[in-house]
Amino acid sequence: MEVNHINMQSDNRDPDRPAHPGIFPTHEAGKSDHQPAECSVDFPVSVVLPAGGTGERTGLQTPKQFCSFLSRPLISYTIQAFERVSWIQSIVVVVAKENMDLMTDIAQRFQHRKVRAVPGGSTRHRSICNGVLALGEGEEERPKVVIIHDAVRPFVEEDFLYKITMAAKEQGAAGAIRPLVSTVIATTSEGYLDHSLERAKYRASEMPQGFTYDVIYQAYQRCSESDFEFGTECLHLALQYCGTNAKLIQGPPTLWKVTYKRDLAAAESIIKDSLSQSACVITGESAQAVTLAGALQKAVGALDMELDVIPDLMGENGRYLLTDWNFIQVSVNSPSLSEVEALLTDLEAANRALLHPLVVIWVRLSSSDELSVSGRVAEPAAIMDLASAAKLRNILLYGIQLHQSKDTERWEKSMLRVAEITSALIRERSPALVGQLLQA
């Protein structure tokens, strides 16, 4: 089966570009992106997302946090970035009163299970204060650390959240900083240059910021009406009213904020691009399938792609059904599509809002003398029928036929070929090849 029209060359990615909310850029091969081994938190952590702004700088009528791209509002991507982190217990989203119903609908529609919406205030600090107070109410355990983050910064990674969280617990407050990209100047009232600041001595304050609950709660209890009305910097309140000097941590370039209309287009492009960066490989109980998955994992590494290898989707592994967009089912010496059918059933039961086409690839390893001619003819028809039904649910199913070889050099070439086809199918999501059984 020819697939020449698909570009199989690995594209050159900018390392400073943000990752998809469900993907971590760096982790050990074979370990889950969603629960890095080094991120162990044994105390309650919650998040406050102020989302009451009007988004005037975008020039749009809809506040930017509710603007949609790829059929999903921006704030949902930000929430997902926190929900994927197992040690974050709850997320309070603070919205304008008139948007409470909208936020509730978003949480239900996109199955955000850790989210609670509360009404905001007339200013940023009043809204954040409302969120902090909400965390101290109800039956849920009051958090030890509160992370405050902008609802319009969707690309935040777990490893950096961990750094902020641990520093906040130890120091009382912590915040992200970035180098200034422009020189800051002061002007006279007549519009002339007064003086400039030495850029090397200053940093831009970014989000996320973390605080122990007691520090941020007391800061808001003690701050003035002027602070509530005109202030924006939470770290300054912690210093001024609690004497807590925040630990400042250099943040990654991924912390950029959607501010202007063009930023929405950039965020959409990043998410589209990152859909092709990872996949979940399901091996079953076959040792041969595990070996094949390991070889495939090594081969796709050269194509700027990462694979998580799991035996099944039971227990903790079930989270992949809700977070991943690409699945590879490995079968050994089995002409039956029963394993793929089971995977599709699990995906349907997860009841995901499939905003982008989800890719399922069946990689079938067989011996060269296996199957009769009639079996080979029936197999493509079976996968085509299953793919046609799956496509109605926005799932694109493809197949790759791989013959076992004892020749090491030939086997390595076959693995590279499988990796190239897999990467191309996931990246291009080609409807024309749905249901095809490609030969590797």
Side-chain angles (χ1 to χ4, degrees), residues 37 53 68 127 146 158 160 183 206 218 235-236 239 268 292 320 344 356 368 394 410 414 418 423 432 436:
S68 293
S127 291
V146 178
E158 181 175 4
F160 190 71
T183 300
E206 305 284 356
Q218 291 176 19
L235 297 179
H236 179 72
L239 178 60
E268 179 176 352
L292 188 154
Y320 287 95
L344 295 176
H356 335 289
S368 57
N394 211 17
R410 185 176 179 182
S414 295
V418 172
S423 177
Q436 300 293 327

PDB file of all heavy atoms in Angstrom, residues 37 53 68 127 146 158 160 183 206 218 235-236 239 268 292 320 344 356 368 394 410 414 418 423 432 436:
ATOM      1  N   ALA A  37       7.564  10.631  37.644  1.00  0.00           N
ATOM      2  CA  ALA A  37       7.945   9.988  38.889  1.00  0.00           C
ATOM      3  C   ALA A  37       8.485  10.988  39.904  1.00  0.00           C
ATOM      4  O   ALA A  37       8.334  10.811  41.097  1.00  0.00           O
ATOM      5  CB  ALA A  37       8.975   8.899  38.600  1.00  0.00           C
ATOM      6  N   GLY A  53     -12.103  38.777  33.370  1.00  0.00           N
ATOM      7  CA  GLY A  53     -11.731  39.897  32.504  1.00  0.00           C
ATOM      8  C   GLY A  53     -12.624  40.006  31.280  1.00  0.00           C
ATOM      9  O   GLY A  53     -13.264  39.044  30.859  1.00  0.00           O
ATOM     10  N   SER A  68     -13.333  30.500  21.368  1.00  0.00           N
ATOM     11  CA  SER A  68     -13.115  29.104  21.006  1.00  0.00           C
ATOM     12  C   SER A  68     -12.164  28.967  19.834  1.00  0.00           C
ATOM     13  O   SER A  68     -12.163  29.786  18.921  1.00  0.00           O
ATOM     14  CB  SER A  68     -14.442  28.426  20.655  1.00  0.00           C
ATOM     15  OG  SER A  68     -15.270  28.324  21.789  1.00  0.00           O
ATOM     16  N   SER A 127     -11.547  39.405  42.674  1.00  0.00           N
ATOM     17  CA  SER A 127     -11.895  38.089  42.139  1.00  0.00           C
ATOM     18  C   SER A 127     -11.010  36.996  42.734  1.00  0.00           C
ATOM     19  O   SER A 127     -11.502  35.933  43.130  1.00  0.00           O
ATOM     20  CB  SER A 127     -11.760  38.091  40.610  1.00  0.00           C
ATOM     21  OG  SER A 127     -12.759  38.899  40.022  1.00  0.00           O
ATOM     22  N   VAL A 146      -1.919  27.136  47.524  1.00  0.00           N
ATOM     23  CA  VAL A 146      -2.835  27.640  46.503  1.00  0.00           C
ATOM     24  C   VAL A 146      -1.996  28.153  45.326  1.00  0.00           C
ATOM     25  O   VAL A 146      -1.093  28.976  45.512  1.00  0.00           O
ATOM     26  CB  VAL A 146      -3.708  28.790  47.044  1.00  0.00           C
ATOM     27  CG1 VAL A 146      -4.622  29.327  45.943  1.00  0.00           C
ATOM     28  CG2 VAL A 146      -4.527  28.321  48.239  1.00  0.00           C
ATOM     29  N   GLU A 158       3.512  20.378  34.191  1.00  0.00           N
ATOM     30  CA  GLU A 158       3.494  19.839  35.541  1.00  0.00           C
ATOM     31  C   GLU A 158       4.819  20.020  36.275  1.00  0.00           C
ATOM     32  O   GLU A 158       4.843  20.309  37.470  1.00  0.00           O
ATOM     33  CB  GLU A 158       3.119  18.349  35.518  1.00  0.00           C
ATOM     34  CG  GLU A 158       3.064  17.761  36.913  1.00  0.00           C
ATOM     35  CD  GLU A 158       2.586  16.318  36.935  1.00  0.00           C
ATOM     36  OE1 GLU A 158       2.361  15.746  35.848  1.00  0.00           O
ATOM     37  OE2 GLU A 158       2.452  15.769  38.039  1.00  0.00           O
ATOM     38  N   PHE A 160       6.931  22.402  36.104  1.00  0.00           N
ATOM     39  CA  PHE A 160       7.083  23.755  36.631  1.00  0.00           C
ATOM     40  C   PHE A 160       6.080  24.021  37.747  1.00  0.00           C
ATOM     41  O   PHE A 160       6.397  24.709  38.726  1.00  0.00           O
ATOM     42  CB  PHE A 160       6.919  24.789  35.516  1.00  0.00           C
ATOM     43  CG  PHE A 160       7.294  26.187  35.952  1.00  0.00           C
ATOM     44  CD1 PHE A 160       8.620  26.516  36.178  1.00  0.00           C
ATOM     45  CD2 PHE A 160       6.326  27.153  36.165  1.00  0.00           C
ATOM     46  CE1 PHE A 160       8.974  27.786  36.611  1.00  0.00           C
ATOM     47  CE2 PHE A 160       6.665  28.419  36.596  1.00  0.00           C
ATOM     48  CZ  PHE A 160       7.999  28.742  36.818  1.00  0.00           C
ATOM     49  N   THR A 183      13.378  47.155  26.668  1.00  0.00           N
ATOM     50  CA  THR A 183      13.838  48.086  27.697  1.00  0.00           C
ATOM     51  C   THR A 183      12.651  48.882  28.228  1.00  0.00           C
ATOM     52  O   THR A 183      11.792  49.337  27.466  1.00  0.00           O
ATOM     53  CB  THR A 183      14.887  49.054  27.118  1.00  0.00           C
ATOM     54  OG1 THR A 183      16.001  48.285  26.647  1.00  0.00           O
ATOM     55  CG2 THR A 183      15.352  50.040  28.164  1.00  0.00           C
ATOM     56  N   GLU A 206       5.460  36.694  36.048  1.00  0.00           N
ATOM     57  CA  GLU A 206       4.530  35.883  35.260  1.00  0.00           C
ATOM     58  C   GLU A 206       3.684  35.018  36.185  1.00  0.00           C
ATOM     59  O   GLU A 206       3.778  35.088  37.402  1.00  0.00           O
ATOM     60  CB  GLU A 206       5.322  34.999  34.276  1.00  0.00           C
ATOM     61  CG  GLU A 206       6.267  35.742  33.357  1.00  0.00           C
ATOM     62  CD  GLU A 206       5.563  36.462  32.220  1.00  0.00           C
ATOM     63  OE1 GLU A 206       4.333  36.320  32.091  1.00  0.00           O
ATOM     64  OE2 GLU A 206       6.258  37.155  31.445  1.00  0.00           O
ATOM     65  N   GLN A 218      -4.312  35.699  54.621  1.00  0.00           N
ATOM     66  CA  GLN A 218      -4.029  36.837  55.493  1.00  0.00           C
ATOM     67  C   GLN A 218      -3.690  38.087  54.691  1.00  0.00           C
ATOM     68  O   GLN A 218      -4.054  39.200  55.083  1.00  0.00           O
ATOM     69  CB  GLN A 218      -2.885  36.487  56.447  1.00  0.00           C
ATOM     70  CG  GLN A 218      -3.268  35.449  57.489  1.00  0.00           C
ATOM     71  CD  GLN A 218      -2.095  35.035  58.365  1.00  0.00           C
ATOM     72  OE1 GLN A 218      -1.094  35.761  58.438  1.00  0.00           O
ATOM     73  NE2 GLN A 218      -2.203  33.893  59.013  1.00  0.00           N
ATOM     74  N   LEU A 235       2.181  38.641  44.686  1.00  0.00           N
ATOM     75  CA  LEU A 235       3.425  38.486  45.438  1.00  0.00           C
ATOM     76  C   LEU A 235       3.726  39.713  46.289  1.00  0.00           C
ATOM     77  O   LEU A 235       4.262  39.607  47.395  1.00  0.00           O
ATOM     78  CB  LEU A 235       4.587  38.220  44.469  1.00  0.00           C
ATOM     79  CG  LEU A 235       4.530  36.941  43.642  1.00  0.00           C
ATOM     80  CD1 LEU A 235       5.740  36.858  42.728  1.00  0.00           C
ATOM     81  CD2 LEU A 235       4.444  35.708  44.523  1.00  0.00           C
ATOM     82  N   HIS A 236       3.368  40.885  45.773  1.00  0.00           N
ATOM     83  CA  HIS A 236       3.604  42.119  46.524  1.00  0.00           C
ATOM     84  C   HIS A 236       2.731  42.170  47.776  1.00  0.00           C
ATOM     85  O   HIS A 236       3.180  42.622  48.841  1.00  0.00           O
ATOM     86  CB  HIS A 236       3.330  43.332  45.639  1.00  0.00           C
ATOM     87  CG  HIS A 236       3.522  44.639  46.342  1.00  0.00           C
ATOM     88  ND1 HIS A 236       4.763  45.129  46.675  1.00  0.00           N
ATOM     89  CD2 HIS A 236       2.621  45.561  46.802  1.00  0.00           C
ATOM     90  CE1 HIS A 236       4.632  46.284  47.292  1.00  0.00           C
ATOM     91  NE2 HIS A 236       3.346  46.567  47.385  1.00  0.00           N
ATOM     92  N   LEU A 239       4.289  40.079  50.462  1.00  0.00           N
ATOM     93  CA  LEU A 239       5.457  40.730  51.060  1.00  0.00           C
ATOM     94  C   LEU A 239       5.033  41.867  51.972  1.00  0.00           C
ATOM     95  O   LEU A 239       5.522  41.992  53.105  1.00  0.00           O
ATOM     96  CB  LEU A 239       6.377  41.249  49.953  1.00  0.00           C
ATOM     97  CG  LEU A 239       7.628  42.013  50.400  1.00  0.00           C
ATOM     98  CD1 LEU A 239       8.514  41.123  51.269  1.00  0.00           C
ATOM     99  CD2 LEU A 239       8.401  42.534  49.193  1.00  0.00           C
ATOM    100  N   GLU A 268      -4.022  28.021  18.682  1.00  0.00           N
ATOM    101  CA  GLU A 268      -4.651  26.975  17.879  1.00  0.00           C
ATOM    102  C   GLU A 268      -3.617  26.199  17.072  1.00  0.00           C
ATOM    103  O   GLU A 268      -3.642  24.971  16.993  1.00  0.00           O
ATOM    104  CB  GLU A 268      -5.690  27.590  16.943  1.00  0.00           C
ATOM    105  CG  GLU A 268      -6.376  26.568  16.048  1.00  0.00           C
ATOM    106  CD  GLU A 268      -7.470  27.187  15.187  1.00  0.00           C
ATOM    107  OE1 GLU A 268      -7.799  28.373  15.399  1.00  0.00           O
ATOM    108  OE2 GLU A 268      -7.987  26.482  14.311  1.00  0.00           O
ATOM    109  N   LEU A 292       8.024  -5.477  20.403  1.00  0.00           N
ATOM    110  CA  LEU A 292       7.758  -4.642  19.237  1.00  0.00           C
ATOM    111  C   LEU A 292       7.523  -3.189  19.656  1.00  0.00           C
ATOM    112  O   LEU A 292       8.030  -2.253  19.037  1.00  0.00           O
ATOM    113  CB  LEU A 292       6.551  -5.183  18.484  1.00  0.00           C
ATOM    114  CG  LEU A 292       6.217  -4.558  17.124  1.00  0.00           C
ATOM    115  CD1 LEU A 292       5.467  -5.545  16.241  1.00  0.00           C
ATOM    116  CD2 LEU A 292       5.371  -3.287  17.263  1.00  0.00           C
ATOM    117  N   TYR A 320      -5.739   7.362  30.206  1.00  0.00           N
ATOM    118  CA  TYR A 320      -5.348   7.645  28.824  1.00  0.00           C
ATOM    119  C   TYR A 320      -6.564   7.814  27.915  1.00  0.00           C
ATOM    120  O   TYR A 320      -6.511   8.528  26.920  1.00  0.00           O
ATOM    121  CB  TYR A 320      -4.451   6.520  28.290  1.00  0.00           C
ATOM    122  CG  TYR A 320      -3.061   6.521  28.867  1.00  0.00           C
ATOM    123  CD1 TYR A 320      -2.736   5.729  29.965  1.00  0.00           C
ATOM    124  CD2 TYR A 320      -2.066   7.315  28.318  1.00  0.00           C
ATOM    125  CE1 TYR A 320      -1.450   5.728  30.505  1.00  0.00           C
ATOM    126  CE2 TYR A 320      -0.774   7.321  28.850  1.00  0.00           C
ATOM    127  CZ  TYR A 320      -0.485   6.520  29.945  1.00  0.00           C
ATOM    128  OH  TYR A 320       0.783   6.527  30.467  1.00  0.00           O
ATOM    129  N   LEU A 344     -12.090   0.650  20.856  1.00  0.00           N
ATOM    130  CA  LEU A 344     -13.096   1.602  20.390  1.00  0.00           C
ATOM    131  C   LEU A 344     -14.286   1.653  21.341  1.00  0.00           C
ATOM    132  O   LEU A 344     -14.852   2.719  21.592  1.00  0.00           O
ATOM    133  CB  LEU A 344     -13.555   1.225  18.978  1.00  0.00           C
ATOM    134  CG  LEU A 344     -12.492   1.329  17.877  1.00  0.00           C
ATOM    135  CD1 LEU A 344     -13.060   0.836  16.546  1.00  0.00           C
ATOM    136  CD2 LEU A 344     -11.996   2.763  17.737  1.00  0.00           C
ATOM    137  N   HIS A 356     -11.105  17.101  18.066  1.00  0.00           N
ATOM    138  CA  HIS A 356     -10.243  16.872  16.919  1.00  0.00           C
ATOM    139  C   HIS A 356     -10.322  15.382  16.613  1.00  0.00           C
ATOM    140  O   HIS A 356     -10.620  14.582  17.495  1.00  0.00           O
ATOM    141  CB  HIS A 356      -8.790  17.253  17.210  1.00  0.00           C
ATOM    142  CG  HIS A 356      -8.628  18.270  18.282  1.00  0.00           C
ATOM    143  ND1 HIS A 356      -8.971  19.581  18.117  1.00  0.00           N
ATOM    144  CD2 HIS A 356      -8.184  18.170  19.554  1.00  0.00           C
ATOM    145  CE1 HIS A 356      -8.733  20.251  19.224  1.00  0.00           C
ATOM    146  NE2 HIS A 356      -8.267  19.406  20.109  1.00  0.00           N
ATOM    147  N   SER A 368       5.603 -14.706   8.315  1.00  0.00           N
ATOM    148  CA  SER A 368       5.481 -14.582   6.869  1.00  0.00           C
ATOM    149  C   SER A 368       4.608 -15.662   6.248  1.00  0.00           C
ATOM    150  O   SER A 368       4.024 -15.467   5.187  1.00  0.00           O
ATOM    151  CB  SER A 368       6.868 -14.610   6.223  1.00  0.00           C
ATOM    152  OG  SER A 368       7.540 -15.805   6.580  1.00  0.00           O
ATOM    153  N   ASN A 394     -15.818  10.457  14.931  1.00  0.00           N
ATOM    154  CA  ASN A 394     -14.619  11.292  14.832  1.00  0.00           C
ATOM    155  C   ASN A 394     -13.354  10.540  15.252  1.00  0.00           C
ATOM    156  O   ASN A 394     -12.419  11.129  15.791  1.00  0.00           O
ATOM    157  CB  ASN A 394     -14.765  12.581  15.655  1.00  0.00           C
ATOM    158  CG  ASN A 394     -13.986  13.736  15.043  1.00  0.00           C
ATOM    159  OD1 ASN A 394     -13.596  13.699  13.890  1.00  0.00           O
ATOM    160  ND2 ASN A 394     -13.754  14.772  15.826  1.00  0.00           N
ATOM    161  N   ARG A 410      17.047  -6.175   8.620  1.00  0.00           N
ATOM    162  CA  ARG A 410      15.738  -6.039   7.986  1.00  0.00           C
ATOM    163  C   ARG A 410      14.676  -5.640   8.999  1.00  0.00           C
ATOM    164  O   ARG A 410      13.782  -4.828   8.711  1.00  0.00           O
ATOM    165  CB  ARG A 410      15.364  -7.365   7.313  1.00  0.00           C
ATOM    166  CG  ARG A 410      14.063  -7.297   6.526  1.00  0.00           C
ATOM    167  CD  ARG A 410      13.814  -8.604   5.805  1.00  0.00           C
ATOM    168  NE  ARG A 410      12.564  -8.564   5.070  1.00  0.00           N
ATOM    169  CZ  ARG A 410      12.066  -9.583   4.374  1.00  0.00           C
ATOM    170  NH1 ARG A 410      12.743 -10.734   4.309  1.00  0.00           N
ATOM    171  NH2 ARG A 410      10.915  -9.483   3.745  1.00  0.00           N
ATOM    172  N   SER A 414      12.280  -2.365   9.076  1.00  0.00           N
ATOM    173  CA  SER A 414      10.828  -2.480   9.186  1.00  0.00           C
ATOM    174  C   SER A 414      10.295  -1.601  10.313  1.00  0.00           C
ATOM    175  O   SER A 414       9.266  -0.940  10.176  1.00  0.00           O
ATOM    176  CB  SER A 414      10.427  -3.939   9.432  1.00  0.00           C
ATOM    177  OG  SER A 414      10.746  -4.745   8.331  1.00  0.00           O
ATOM    178  N   VAL A 418       7.584   1.371  10.052  1.00  0.00           N
ATOM    179  CA  VAL A 418       6.374   1.457  10.873  1.00  0.00           C
ATOM    180  C   VAL A 418       6.310   2.807  11.583  1.00  0.00           C
ATOM    181  O   VAL A 418       5.267   3.451  11.654  1.00  0.00           O
ATOM    182  CB  VAL A 418       6.317   0.307  11.901  1.00  0.00           C
ATOM    183  CG1 VAL A 418       5.152   0.518  12.870  1.00  0.00           C
ATOM    184  CG2 VAL A 418       6.158  -1.026  11.191  1.00  0.00           C
ATOM    185  N   SER A 423       3.886   7.948  12.386  1.00  0.00           N
ATOM    186  CA  SER A 423       4.036   9.384  12.564  1.00  0.00           C
ATOM    187  C   SER A 423       3.252  10.154  11.512  1.00  0.00           C
ATOM    188  O   SER A 423       2.596  11.160  11.801  1.00  0.00           O
ATOM    189  CB  SER A 423       5.518   9.768  12.501  1.00  0.00           C
ATOM    190  OG  SER A 423       5.694  11.165  12.612  1.00  0.00           O
ATOM    191  N   ALA A 432      -8.419  10.011   3.663  1.00  0.00           N
ATOM    192  CA  ALA A 432      -8.346   9.143   2.487  1.00  0.00           C
ATOM    193  C   ALA A 432      -7.787   7.771   2.809  1.00  0.00           C
ATOM    194  O   ALA A 432      -8.073   6.799   2.110  1.00  0.00           O
ATOM    195  CB  ALA A 432      -7.487   9.815   1.412  1.00  0.00           C
ATOM    196  N   GLN A 436      -7.464   1.699   5.697  1.00  0.00           N
ATOM    197  CA  GLN A 436      -6.454   1.016   4.881  1.00  0.00           C
ATOM    198  C   GLN A 436      -5.558   0.139   5.756  1.00  0.00           C
ATOM    199  O   GLN A 436      -5.285   0.466   6.913  1.00  0.00           O
ATOM    200  CB  GLN A 436      -5.604   2.041   4.144  1.00  0.00           C
ATOM    201  CG  GLN A 436      -6.370   2.943   3.204  1.00  0.00           C
ATOM    202  CD  GLN A 436      -6.950   2.168   2.024  1.00  0.00           C
ATOM    203  OE1 GLN A 436      -6.364   1.204   1.553  1.00  0.00           O
ATOM    204  NE2 GLN A 436      -8.112   2.603   1.549  1.00  0.00           N
TER     205      GLN A 436
END
